[in-house]
Each structure stands twice: as structure tokens, then as C-alpha cells.
Amino acid sequence: MPSRIEALLGSCVVIPCTFDYYYYPPRRPDRVVWYQFAKHSYPKVYDSWYSSEVISIFRGKTSLVSSQYGKTCSLEIYPVTWRHHRQTIYPWVDPENVGRYTHRFWDKTVTIHVEDRANTPEIMISGNMKVGESVTVQCSVDHTCPSYPPTLSLSISSLSYRPQSRIVTRGTRTTLVSTVVIERDHQSVECTVKHLGGITARATKTFNAECSFFPLTISSPSSEFLEGIESKVTCTASYTCSRHNPVITWSYSGMPVSTETRRVGGRTMWNTISTLSLKTSSNDHGRSLWCTAKFYQGQTQQKSITLYVKRSMFSLGWTFSTPKSITGLKGSCLIIPCKFTYTNAIPPNLKLIWYLYQDSGYPTVFDQRGGTVVSQFSGKTSSVGSTADGNCSLQINSLELSQNLARLYPWIDKNAITSYHSRGHSFYEKTTQLLVSEHAKNPQISINGIPRVGEQSSVSCNVEHTCFSAPPTLSIAGIPGTGTIKDSLVSDGIWKRTIEQTWNVEEEDRSVTCTVSYPSGQKATGQQPLNVECPYEDITISEKLISATEGVAKSVICSVSYKCKKNIPHIDWNYEDMQSTIKIVKLSKHSYSMESNLTFIGGLDDDGKSLMCTAQFSSGKTSDSALLNITKYVKPPDAHYKIHGFDTAHRLAADVPFRLSALTRSCVVIPCTFWDSEQIPMTRGIWAKRDGGIVFHNGRTQVMHHFRDRTKIVGDLSERNCSLEIDDIKPFDNGPFCFHSERGNEKYTFNNSCVFIVMKASPEKPEITGVPAEVDAGSALTVSCSVTHTCPSHSPEFSWSVPHISSAVSDSLISGGIWQRTSIINFIVAPGDGVKNLTCTASFWGEKKGVTTAALTVTGTLKYKMRTYAPAFVPVTLLLLILVAVLGVFIYRKRKEAENQPRPPPRPEKRRNLPEDREKPPRPEKRGSIWSRLSRRAAGDRGGWQNSRQTTDVSVSYLNNSSTVVMQSSKPLYSYPNN
């Protein structure tokens, strides 16, 4: 290990230490203790066995640094303080077994020097020092804390990006490596090191880079220039340093020039671009155009190009116009439209020639002079129109695939084309490209308007072609009828053929197909869905003003007409629980009518409201409404009823309510009592309609079929109770119904014995009472739900939306024939703060239901849960506390027993020759085996400690049938440095 080591204040320091031996090897080579160098004692700096004996300035701050190679004793101190300055320390390997006379550890010490200033990092730059090139920047720093190496960071001036870096630590040297692209010719780099504990240091280095220049480039849109037409020519100078911005000049002066400088290609490349607006003449053909760039500090570059000038068509005295391309079908014909004009009058006897564009030569496609035509066009071309009219159009028959992509251009001049100089064929921009297709295009189908069943609609189909002399044929399938053909010119050389067909739309019509056939045999087909609509008319209600008596059923009809058998609507009414029937009538082939017959039963609260019916189709809906005029039922004046067989009947008094409500499909019990002075009871009770017809008779065949098996007297005639029950109430069971009786051969009628039944389509809604504004979770709550009815023989049944502890149902008579049934429940409010729904449902006889929901505001859920779970939580918590206390007492006693066990006293060990009368330093308090103690004694004898060692009486014995060794000692053997 080194004799001196520097440590940075607040950081750590690792003292490298290795050991080896040639004799007296340690028994525990991994047992390393560090001591402070002292003359008469052994102050500990590090001891993993007896850490409490480490002196205060090192306690808790030292640790061994492990190594995979072994025989290491390196020590780490963290954090370093000023108290560690100039401290001299040394290690001792296996101090319990290795003594002074075997290895003198104290002769090799290390002194710690604490510094509060960090070493300045070292910066190294390598690579090609040119702007735009990559260089490697390394920043290194030496330190003594490899366990927690310092952090390094780079800062480079004027750098437009953050370079990627990596940090490498090898031993006590940490290096940051970064690759940087140089962006300027003068840049500085700063490296900052930050050590554990916060101390930093910086270093700065400046590097100068060379600037680079690149050859000039000249570019133009085309290699040829058009005579008299302005063209943009650019000259570009590329360089890496922005301050070297050059001045660019051209050899052609007097023409507009613009200059632009911008950064390109990342961060280090600059371009200065000079753009010349060059307009050439025929005299410039073959001349050179020069570009010169003068850079900063006098550098100069030049570049030139040769001008190739194309003669303008205006110099010929005539111009022509043709399409850039035209498409034709294989085997069909094609016309290339062409028109030309002369600056002066058109010369007489002009001959039209068409050429095939090629890189060299002038192959003829058509020649009015009778010249030779290339084989692929021979016998297939002809002129259309007259050159005297400025027409130069060309017709090509029987197109072939070999002609695809061919470029053609006309020549209309008295001189031959070879008499003009034109580098690269001056007519290239005016050529027309032939596009020959092997497959016909699909025709385009359009439907005029929306086809509706039962109405007329039309479909048109068109296709474009290039052969007016032999146009294609069109046909339409999928709909009946015959189409009309029409031809039109779309543009030069393009015609359109259209077929239009009208038909009567049928429900079964699905799609239309159009087929185009060409004379050359190609066919193409297009198809389009018709998406036929099924129209419908507005729905109508039979009456716009519906007048009815409360509770009396009235038939109301809504009807709607529509097309298509599949387009069946769904008719809804805005009143529920009322009977309705549907009837569908076929009016014609595609026309249908639907009627919805509603049996409407109105109440007084419906007066002034609207009755609405709605027909819902797949494509929409239609509605109609009527105004309701509901009048109250008025009791008619009493009169003698002339019922068959009761013409001479006796007249008595009865008590029957003149009106009573009833729920359709349920039952109604009509209360009835009568007065009779005779002691002999009535033998028969009869109920009949006021206008005739028996409703109840004990002779079943006497009862009207409509009421048969639905009525019975529930009262006792002997007790003058004539109450009647009517079950399965029908909408038209209004009555009035009157009571009659017989006693033997005597017949009786009664005053006030007639009742009118007011029908209700919907049941009464239950009423919930006893619901407080707020209720605590977990509390018991009693609520009630009441509903009125007129069917006491089959009273409503209640159901609730909450589970209840107890429930009770009671019935009470409110007035004549009207009963009230009440359900009272007691339930526990479930936890969960907020508004909850409490629902009561009354199920009436006849399967109709009335539902009412009340809002219940619940609070105190947390308090309820604490109150609920506290009885179980407290015992469990108490049990856990008791277990923790018992465990703590057990651990405490075990520690006390360990501390009270006897330890061998320390022996003195001299690092220097001490006076005999001076007390020797104690050894570590460690209990070893008997064999290790005897071996230490022998080692002491060999070292010459016979006069200074202490003796002990040792007795060793074996227990019977055991491998246990029992040892008793009266004195310590030796003194070691304390552990």
C-alpha cells in the first residue's frame, strides 16, 4: 500500500492494500483490522467484529473494499473530514492469530492528506481539425475514490447540438469521451468535474480548425436553352466557414442576378447560390457561360458550361398545337387533333408530314408527298381536314400495342426538317404520346334522381372513345325498356357516347348493369346498385277532435299508406296500456295500407291533451294527432226500468254507487245493499244492463255471452248484500248495471240500484310515505306504500327494491267500492353515501303494475362502518400488541444473557519495547476453541515470551458417550489487540 494518499474533503478515499506471506500464514486471511498508528496503544480504525471499539473519528466511516482476487486489505473511508488529515494508519491481518514476532504490520503505514481543492481535469482533443469533421474530446481526472467516481461534463462554446458522451472509470482515473463535429474555426471546450461531496474543478481548452472549400457547381433546368425564353441558371459555392461568404459574378452581364446564402447539410456546410435569369439568342449557341466566386482572404474559383440553344418555333414562321398524350384502344381508331398557324399567309400547296420522335433520324409516320412510312404505321394513317384551313390532324386506324408510348409530331413547312439545326430535336416538347390500351374502360353509370317504387326513373351510361367513325355500342340490363343513344364531342379527339333509359321502378329492382362493346372485340361492364326507395304517405287519424266520456272506451283509427310489401311500418300511440289492433290491406301491386285501431279510454285529466299516433318506417317516420275532449259522467235521473218479466215488479230501495272506476283486465266489486221489511230472504239476485241484457243470473244460460263466467254475487242476499264482482274487465263494460231480485214468484226492482263503470287503462301509482329528507347508513327505517283499487277480492301485491326486516299489509275501505291497500316495511339502510332509489311496485290482478320511486339521501357511511367493524378490530389489535410486547421481552432477555456470558481477558501485545512495569494493551475479547488457545501459547513460547506471558490452569475432559469437550480456565492465555 502507498505510504501517503490524498483524500478530498467530503468525498471518499480508498487506500489500496494487498498482502502476501512466506511463512506463518494467517489462519483467517479474510480477517483484516486497521489501526491508528500510536506509540503505546492500538486505536482501531476498522474492525468488522467489534465495530464499537473503532475510535470516534473513524466510526461508521470505514469499510473494507472486497476483491475477487483475494489477499486484499483495501480500506474505504467515507465521508472524509478534516479530522482525518495527517492520520497514519496501518492494517493487521488475522490479529487474533498473528503476533508481533511473525509479521510486523506497523512498519508499513499510510498517511492521509485531506485536501479541499480537487485536481484540475485534463483535456485531450484528437482527430482531423477541420470544420465539419468529427473529433474526439477526452476529459480525464485522477482521484482516490473509485467506489464513487466523480462525474464529468463537457461544455463546448457555440455548439448547436448536445453531443453524446460516455464516461469510463479505470481504477482511480475517470475519463469522459465525446465525439464532436466542429462547427466553427474557433471553439473552446470546458470540462467540469464534480466529486462526491460537491467539490468541483474546471479546465478549459481552445482549438482552432481549418475551413474547407468545395468546387463550384452550375445547374439549369435543362441542358438546352430555348431561344428568347428566360431560363434560371444557378452557380453554387460550398464552404464550411460562414465568414468566407464569397462574391459570385457571371460572364453574361446586364441580366438579372439574385444571390442567397444558407446553411445546408447539417450544421457545418454553407452554400452561396447565385441565380442568373438567362435569355439566349441563336447566336449564343456553342458559347461558354462562366461563373466566378471570390472568397474571403482572396481565394478564387471558376466554373463554366457550354450553351446549347434551341431555335424557337417562331423563327420558323409557324406554330402548331397538339395534345401531350392521347389514349386509344387496341384495334380501334384514333384521331390526333392538330391545328397550325402561320405568321403570314399560309403558303399554297403545303404538304403535311408526321414524324416518329427518336434520338436520331426522322422516321415518317404519314407523308402527303408520298414518302416512305415506317412499317408499324404503314397503311394505317391518314390526314383529317385540309392544310389550307390550318388543320393538321392525323387519324390512325387499327391501333397496335407496338405503337404504345410512341411520340409523334407534325411538320408543316415548305422546307425539309433537316434544313434546320436542332440539337436533341426541337419538337420534343410538342410531341403527342400515344397510349394504347388493351383493355376497355368501364362505362360510367349515373342514376337521375332517387328511384322510388311505383314511379318513373331514368338511368344513363356513357363511355369516352377516340374513334368517331366506328364508335362502341352500349346496352343496359337489369331494368326493362330500350335506351336512347346520344354522341357528343368532349374535347379534341375525344368523343362521348351516352345511352339513357327510362323505366317504372319495381320493388324487386336491385341494380343496373351497363356493357360497352367495341368493334375490335373488347368489352367492359359497369354495375351500380339502384337503392330503390319505398315511399310512404303521411299518417292520418280518423278524428281531429275526439269527444268521449270519462272511462268510456272509444275506437280511434290511424291509417297510413305505403309502397313495398317489405316496408311494413310500426305504429305507436302516445298512450300506454291500451288495446290496439293492426290491419294491413293491399291497395294495388305495390301499394299497401295499415290501420291501427286503438281502444282509447280517457280520464278527466286527459281533457285538452293530444292523442298521437306515429308510423315508424326504416327510412323515417310520420305522425298525426287529435285533440281530446273528455267529459265527466253525469248520473241520469231515476226511472222505472222496463225489464222483461219485471213489468209489475215491486219497488224497493237499494244503495249502489252511481259511478265506480275499474282497471281493464282486472276485476271490480260493485258494493250493493238493499232494504226489505219482509223476513223471508230473497231467493235470487239478478244484475242486468240498464238497456237490457242480463249480466249475472244463477242460471248460466241466462247470462249474456260477453259476461258469462266473469260475474258473480259476492254478497249474501239473506243479509241484504247484493254486491257483484266482474272479473277480467273489458274496455266496453261500462254499463250502467242495475240490480233486481226475486222471492218466489215475486219480482223486485230497486231505486238507486244502477252503477256506471268508469274504465281506466292504467293502474293507480302507489304513494310512498315516511321517507325522511336524510337518513344515516345502518339505521332502521319504516316506510309505507299505499294504492287505491276497486278489486278487493284480488287485492294488489306489493314488492320493494330493498330487503326488509319485517313487513305488514293492511286494507281499508275509503268510500263506496274504493279500497286502499297499504304495505309497511322496516329495513336497514345500506351503507353508501348519496341519493339512493327506493322503489315500490304494486302488481294488480290482471298483470298490470304501478311503480313509484322515492329518493333516499344516505349519509354517515364511514361512521357506520367504524361502528360495525370496531368490535372485531379492537380485540385483534390488542392481541397484536400483546404479541409484540412478549417478543420484545424475549429478545431483551436473550441479549442480556449474551452480555453476561464470561469472556477471556485480553493479553498485552507490544508493538514497541515497553517497560515491564507498564500495563500492556488489552487484546480483543474473543472466545476461541481450546486448540486455538494452545496453539497461540506454543507460538508465544517460540517468540521468547516465556518471562512475560501469564500462565493458566486448564483441565480438559470428555463427557460419557459424547463428543463434548469441557474446559475450565482460571487465567487468560494471551493478550491480543481488542476486536
Side-chain angles (χ1 to χ4, degrees):
M1 67 180 179
S3 60
R4 181 181 185 276
I5 193 168
E6 292 185 355
L8 192 62
L9 183 65
S11 182
C12 79
V13 61
V14 175
I15 302 173
C17 173
T18 58
F19 66 89
D20 203 353
Y21 40 81
Y22 305 99
Y23 57 89
Y24 302 120
R27 298 191 178 193
R28 295 179 178 270
D30 57 340
R31 170 77 172 134
V32 178
V33 180
W34 281 76
Y35 298 92
Q36 182 188 44
F37 184 85
K39 292 182 179 181
H40 306 298
S41 61
Y42 296 91
K44 289 187 177 181
V45 173
Y46 166 77
D47 190 341
S48 62
W49 288 9
Y50 305 100
S51 58
S52 61
E53 297 179 2
V54 176
I55 60 178
S56 61
I57 65 172
F58 290 102
R59 188 178 301 151
K61 299 180 176 65
T62 56
S63 61
L64 282 183
V65 179
S66 61
S67 172
Q68 59 180 345
Y69 302 108
K71 296 182 182 181
T72 62
C73 48
S74 300
L75 180 70
E76 178 186 303
I77 304 174
Y78 173 74
V80 176
T81 65
W82 281 118
R83 298 179 65 185
H84 300 147
H85 185 54
R86 295 189 180 278
Q87 291 289 332
T88 301
I89 61 178
Y90 62 94
W92 196 322
V93 180
D94 194 10
E96 286 79 11
N97 298 306
V98 179
R100 167 189 176 191
Y101 291 99
T102 56
H103 300 284
R104 300 169 60 86
F105 286 98
W106 59 81
D107 290 342
K108 186 68 173 178
T109 62
V110 59
T111 303
I112 302 171
H113 289 266
V114 179
E115 301 287 345
D116 61 352
R117 292 185 179 180
N119 293 334
T120 302
E122 178 184 356
I123 300 175
M124 294 181 61
I125 302 174
S126 59
N128 190 5
M129 299 295 288
K130 287 187 176 183
V131 177
E133 299 291 336
S134 297
V135 296
T136 301
V137 180
Q138 292 186 349
C139 177
S140 304
V141 65
D142 294 320
H143 55 91
T144 57
C145 184
S147 301
Y148 303 97
T151 59
L152 294 167
S153 60
L154 282 178
S155 175
I156 302 177
S157 64
S158 304
L159 196 65
S160 61
Y161 69 100
R162 185 174 182 176
Q164 294 184 352
S165 305
R166 57 186 176 91
I167 296 179
V168 180
T169 299
R170 291 186 176 89
T172 58
R173 186 174 182 84
T174 298
T175 302
L176 182 144
V177 182
S178 180
T179 301
V180 180
V181 176
I182 303 176
E183 295 184 351
R184 300 180 61 187
D185 49 352
H186 298 290
Q187 284 183 285
S188 62
V189 58
E190 181 183 73
C191 178
T192 302
V193 58
K194 185 176 181 180
H195 294 269
L196 179 67
I199 296 178
T200 60
R202 292 179 175 82
T204 303
K205 188 171 185 177
T206 302
F207 54 88
N208 298 320
E210 297 181 4
C211 297
S212 299
F213 303 90
F214 301 91
L216 296 179
T217 59
I218 296 180
S219 61
S220 62
S222 174
S223 60
E224 294 182 336
F225 298 88
L226 299 179
E227 177 186 5
I229 304 299
E230 187 177 274
S231 181
K232 302 292 184 182
V233 184
T234 60
C235 178
T236 303
S238 301
Y239 47 95
T240 58
C241 295
S242 59
R243 61 189 180 91
H244 289 173
N245 187 10
V247 176
I248 299 177
T249 58
W250 296 86
S251 58
Y252 273 63
S253 59
M255 295 186 182
V257 177
S258 62
T259 303
E260 176 189 9
T261 298
R262 61 173 178 260
R263 176 180 284 176
V264 294
R267 307 175 181 88
T268 60
M269 180 66 71
W270 292 84
N271 278 357
T272 295
I273 303 170
S274 177
T275 303
L276 172 67
S277 299
L278 178 64
K279 185 180 290 187
T280 58
S281 65
S282 58
N283 296 328
D284 295 323
H285 183 73
R287 292 182 179 179
S288 295
L289 175 64
W290 287 90
C291 167
T292 303
K294 292 184 178 180
F295 293 90
Y296 175 74
Q297 295 181 344
Q299 295 94 333
T300 301
Q301 288 185 349
Q302 282 189 326
K303 180 70 175 179
S304 66
I305 61 171
T306 301
L307 299 177
Y308 295 96
V309 182
K310 295 173 71 173
R311 294 284 302 274
S312 172
M313 290 179 61
F314 292 101
S315 63
L316 299 176
W318 56 274
T319 59
F320 68 91
S321 62
T322 57
K324 290 186 177 181
S325 65
I326 190 168
T327 302
L329 188 64
K330 175 187 174 183
S332 183
C333 70
L334 175 148
I335 295 177
I336 303 176
C338 175
K339 293 182 179 180
F340 70 94
T341 58
Y342 261 81
T343 306
N344 299 318
I346 298 177
N349 300 321
L350 276 177
K351 299 298 182 180
L352 175 64
I353 303 175
W354 278 81
Y355 290 103
L356 174 65
Y357 176 82
Q358 289 184 351
D359 292 337
S360 60
Y362 302 96
T364 304
V365 171
F366 170 75
D367 190 353
Q368 281 187 336
R369 300 174 181 176
T372 303
V373 177
V374 293
S375 60
Q376 65 185 118
F377 289 96
S378 178
K380 299 179 180 179
T381 55
S382 60
S383 62
V384 178
S386 173
T387 55
D389 300 328
N391 191 336
C392 51
S393 300
L394 176 69
Q395 178 171 332
I396 306 174
N397 298 317
S398 301
L399 288 171
E400 298 178 356
L401 289 178
S402 61
Q403 298 166 349
N404 186 40
L405 301 180
R407 289 185 171 274
L408 311 180
Y409 60 94
W411 181 259
I412 313 116
D413 198 281
K414 58 183 179 181
N415 300 313
I417 191 172
T418 54
S419 61
Y420 290 85
H421 169 76
S422 175
R423 181 181 177 85
H425 295 281
S426 61
F427 283 103
Y428 177 82
E429 289 81 1
K430 287 292 185 177
T431 59
T432 297
Q433 187 177 43
L434 297 182
L435 302 176
V436 181
S437 175
E438 190 174 5
H439 304 287
K441 289 184 178 180
N442 291 334
Q444 302 297 315
I445 303 174
S446 61
I447 301 173
N448 302 323
I450 300 174
R452 293 182 174 88
V453 175
E455 300 178 4
Q456 277 197 343
S457 185
S458 62
V459 172
S460 62
C461 174
N462 67 80
V463 65
E464 293 182 353
H465 61 97
T466 58
C467 189
F468 182 74
S469 59
T473 58
L474 290 171
S475 61
I476 291 179
I479 57 174
T482 303
T484 304
I485 301 295
K486 181 174 62 176
D487 293 304
S488 60
L489 179 65
V490 178
S491 60
D492 289 343
I494 306 297
W495 285 267
K496 179 191 288 186
R497 169 157 283 204
T498 304
I499 182 172
E500 185 171 350
Q501 191 165 316
T502 303
W503 89 107
N504 292 322
V505 181
E506 302 283 342
E507 182 179 354
E508 295 77 15
D509 294 340
R510 293 291 180 266
S511 62
V512 62
T513 303
C514 181
T515 303
V516 56
S517 301
Y518 289 86
S520 52
Q522 296 93 334
K523 288 186 177 182
T525 302
Q527 189 177 54
Q528 174 123 354
L530 291 174
N531 298 323
V532 172
E533 283 193 1
C534 296
Y536 56 86
E537 298 179 2
D538 292 337
I539 194 170
T540 57
I541 200 165
S542 57
E543 302 177 51
K544 290 298 182 181
L545 178 62
I546 300 175
S547 299
T549 303
E550 60 166 330
V552 178
K554 184 178 180 64
S555 178
V556 182
I557 297 175
C558 255
S559 61
V560 62
S561 297
Y562 58 95
K563 300 290 181 67
C564 300
K565 184 178 180 180
K566 66 180 180 181
N567 191 29
I568 300 176
H570 180 74
I571 297 180
D572 295 317
W573 297 84
N574 62 332
Y575 275 78
E576 298 178 353
D577 296 327
M578 296 188 186
Q579 296 179 4
S580 63
T581 59
I582 295 295
K583 178 181 178 183
I584 299 177
V585 178
K586 185 174 182 180
L587 303 177
S588 62
K589 181 178 180 181
H590 300 293
S591 299
Y592 298 85
S593 175
M594 174 181 280
E595 289 184 355
S596 177
N597 191 336
L598 176 71
T599 303
F600 177 74
I601 301 173
L604 292 177
D605 54 347
D606 296 322
D607 185 45
K609 294 182 179 179
S610 294
L611 177 63
M612 180 180 292
C613 60
T614 302
Q616 182 70 54
F617 293 89
S618 59
S619 58
K621 62 182 178 179
T622 174
S623 301
D624 196 11
S625 63
L627 183 64
L628 295 175
N629 180 22
I630 309 299
T631 58
K632 187 175 182 180
Y633 172 74
V634 179
K635 179 182 178 181
D638 288 339
H640 293 285
Y641 304 113
K642 296 180 179 180
I643 300 175
H644 180 70
F646 285 81
D647 298 340
T648 60
H650 301 282
R651 192 76 170 173
L652 297 178
D655 185 13
V656 177
F658 80 92
R659 68 192 301 273
L660 188 65
S661 63
L663 179 64
T664 56
R665 292 167 52 188
S666 184
C667 80
V668 63
V669 175
I670 303 169
C672 173
T673 58
F674 62 91
W675 285 268
D676 182 14
S677 58
E678 298 292 335
Q679 296 300 320
I680 301 174
M682 296 290 182
T683 58
R684 176 178 291 159
I686 302 172
W687 281 86
K689 296 183 70 173
R690 184 173 182 176
D691 55 357
I694 295 176
V695 175
F696 172 78
H697 193 284
N698 57 2
R700 183 174 179 273
T701 58
Q702 302 293 322
V703 180
M704 299 170 59
H705 285 282
H706 180 69
F707 290 96
R708 190 173 295 173
D709 299 328
R710 292 198 297 120
T711 59
K712 65 180 178 178
I713 289 182
V714 294
D716 189 349
L717 293 178
S718 63
E719 295 180 0
R720 297 175 175 80
N721 189 327
C722 49
S723 298
L724 176 71
E725 177 191 284
I726 305 176
D727 195 10
D728 192 14
I729 290 291
K730 306 299 182 183
F732 294 95
D733 290 348
N734 300 102
F737 305 110
C738 302
F739 174 67
H740 314 282
S741 69
E742 294 178 355
R743 184 164 34 209
N745 294 324
E746 298 292 330
K747 300 182 185 296
Y748 297 87
T749 60
F750 298 86
N751 294 327
N752 300 320
S753 65
C754 295
V755 63
F756 180 81
I757 305 299
V758 177
M759 296 298 169
K760 288 188 175 182
S762 300
E764 297 288 343
K765 283 194 174 183
E767 180 181 356
I768 299 177
T769 58
V771 179
E774 285 188 358
V775 63
D776 291 333
S779 61
L781 185 63
T782 300
V783 296
S784 63
C785 180
S786 302
V787 68
T788 59
H789 62 97
T790 58
C791 182
S793 56
H794 302 283
S795 299
E797 299 292 336
F798 289 97
S799 61
W800 293 84
S801 61
V802 294
H804 44 270
I805 302 173
S806 62
S807 64
V809 177
S810 62
D811 296 287
S812 60
L813 180 61
I814 298 176
S815 60
I818 301 176
W819 294 78
Q820 177 175 282
R821 168 161 278 210
T822 303
S823 173
I824 302 174
I825 65 167
N826 184 269
F827 68 97
I828 301 299
V829 180
D833 291 352
V835 178
K836 310 295 181 181
N837 288 333
L838 178 64
T839 302
C840 171
T841 303
S843 300
F844 291 82
W845 180 254
E847 299 182 352
K848 291 190 177 182
K849 294 182 179 181
V851 181
T852 297
T853 300
L856 188 65
T857 302
V858 181
T859 60
T861 296
L862 180 60
K863 182 178 178 182
Y864 166 73
K865 289 184 176 180
M866 293 178 63
R867 186 170 67 251
T868 302
Y869 300 118
F873 177 74
V874 172
V876 173
T877 304
L878 185 59
L879 179 60
L880 290 176
L881 292 176
I882 292 173
L883 291 176
V884 171
V886 171
L887 183 62
V889 172
F890 176 76
I891 296 174
Y892 174 75
R893 287 183 177 179
K894 283 293 184 181
R895 289 184 177 177
K896 293 297 288 184
E897 290 176 3
E899 292 175 357
N900 293 333
Q901 290 179 358
R903 299 182 183 179
R907 72 172 178 84
E909 180 64 67
K910 294 194 298 179
R911 191 174 54 78
R912 301 245 188 250
N913 292 329
L914 302 177
E916 293 183 359
D917 58 348
R918 183 155 186 176
E919 183 181 357
K920 296 178 182 180
R923 73 177 183 89
E925 296 180 1
K926 179 179 181 301
R927 300 173 64 189
S929 67
I930 181 64
W931 313 114
S932 64
R933 294 173 184 270
L934 291 175
S935 64
R936 291 171 188 158
R937 180 174 181 178
D941 292 340
R942 289 193 300 270
W945 280 23
Q946 293 86 347
N947 296 331
S948 60
R949 74 174 184 272
Q950 297 179 356
T951 62
T952 183
D953 296 329
V954 179
S955 63
V956 180
S957 62
Y958 291 89
L959 298 178
N960 291 334
N961 300 323
S962 174
S963 60
T964 303
V965 179
V966 179
M967 180 192 74
Q968 294 180 352
S969 174
S970 60
K971 293 182 181 180
L973 293 176
Y974 294 99
S975 295
Y976 287 158
N978 290 337
N979 184 5

